[in-house]
Amino acid sequence: MTVLPMRIFGDPILREPCRDVERFDASLEKLGADLLDAMTHYSGVGVAANQIGISLRAFVYDDDGTPRWLVNAEIADLDGEESVDEGCLSVPGLYFPTARAARLQLKGVDLEGTSVEFVAEGFLARVMQHETDHLKGLLYLDRLDDVTRREAMRQIREQDMGAREVQRRT
């Protein structure tokens, strides 16, 4: 198994909105497997396609021990707000309090093209927002208040993050 390298803050693909998935074929199944391999290898709870260099609106997540894939996901009916520490495999080692909706409605499709719709709350709602932000070319850093964002950028400069590959968390 060859794990695709994690794209790190500074890589332009992380800032580009991803294209809709239009073909549900073997290449999408391979992307799903690549996403799962990356999520497992880098010990994440979610990985978006652009984080491994593919500009398609697809991500994998695992909030309860069962990996799932979503493509062309759309969020609606955001409700409430929670601010907890959040991190990202593409911004390794940094965690900052990030405000997110506490509850939302999500619509998308799975790898076979079957419609998926559910309500997410708490941690799952946070994961859905984080991953769909990636597909829009946003990072959790964009959600930080001005003071915290400046601190995050200072820490990123100190780490000279560049475009290094994320080291596996142990």
Side-chain angles (χ1 to χ4, degrees):
M1 162 181 78
T2 301
V3 176
L4 294 172
M6 185 64 55
R7 300 302 179 98
I8 302 302
F9 179 85
D11 189 315
I13 198 167
L14 295 173
R15 293 309 199 162
E16 298 170 6
C18 296
R19 298 180 322 274
D20 283 347
V21 172
E22 296 176 355
R23 292 183 15 221
F24 294 82
D25 58 12
S27 65
L28 185 61
E29 288 180 29
K30 171 140 180 24
L31 173 59
D34 288 342
L35 287 167
L36 181 58
D37 289 346
M39 184 175 68
T40 301
H41 178 79
Y42 296 112
S43 302
V45 295
V47 173
N50 59 346
Q51 289 183 277
I52 58 170
I54 309 297
S55 187
L56 285 175
R57 292 189 52 224
F59 64 87
V60 63
Y61 69 98
D62 183 352
D63 69 314
D64 64 2
T66 304
R68 294 176 185 88
W69 295 263
L70 281 174
V71 298
N72 300 337
E74 296 290 339
I75 291 177
D77 299 329
L78 298 165
D79 186 38
E81 186 176 289
E82 297 176 336
S83 184
V84 298
D85 279 355
E86 189 169 319
C88 179
L89 294 172
S90 292
V91 188
L94 300 183
Y95 299 86
F96 294 98
T98 307
R100 298 276 189 185
R103 178 182 159 96
L104 56 82
Q105 177 78 29
L106 188 125
K107 294 179 184 181
V109 293
D110 63 18
L111 290 180
E112 288 79 39
T114 303
S115 292
V116 176
E117 185 173 341
F118 59 91
V119 172
E121 297 184 60
F123 183 67
L124 180 57
R126 179 169 295 278
V127 172
M128 295 299 101
Q129 291 167 87
H130 183 102
E131 299 308 327
T132 57
D133 272 359
H134 274 300
L135 305 180
K136 297 172 189 172
L138 300 172
L139 296 170
Y140 85 102
L141 301 171
D142 300 318
R143 303 259 178 215
L144 303 178
D145 62 61
D146 289 341
V147 171
T148 308
R149 187 178 309 110
R150 280 194 297 277
E151 174 59 18
M153 297 310 292
R154 183 191 66 74
Q155 289 184 34
I156 287 168
R157 282 189 302 275
E158 281 182 1
Q159 290 183 13
D160 189 28
M161 213 167 270
R164 292 179 292 127
E165 182 177 321
V166 173
Q167 299 299 312
R168 182 175 180 171
R169 294 183 190 170
T170 54

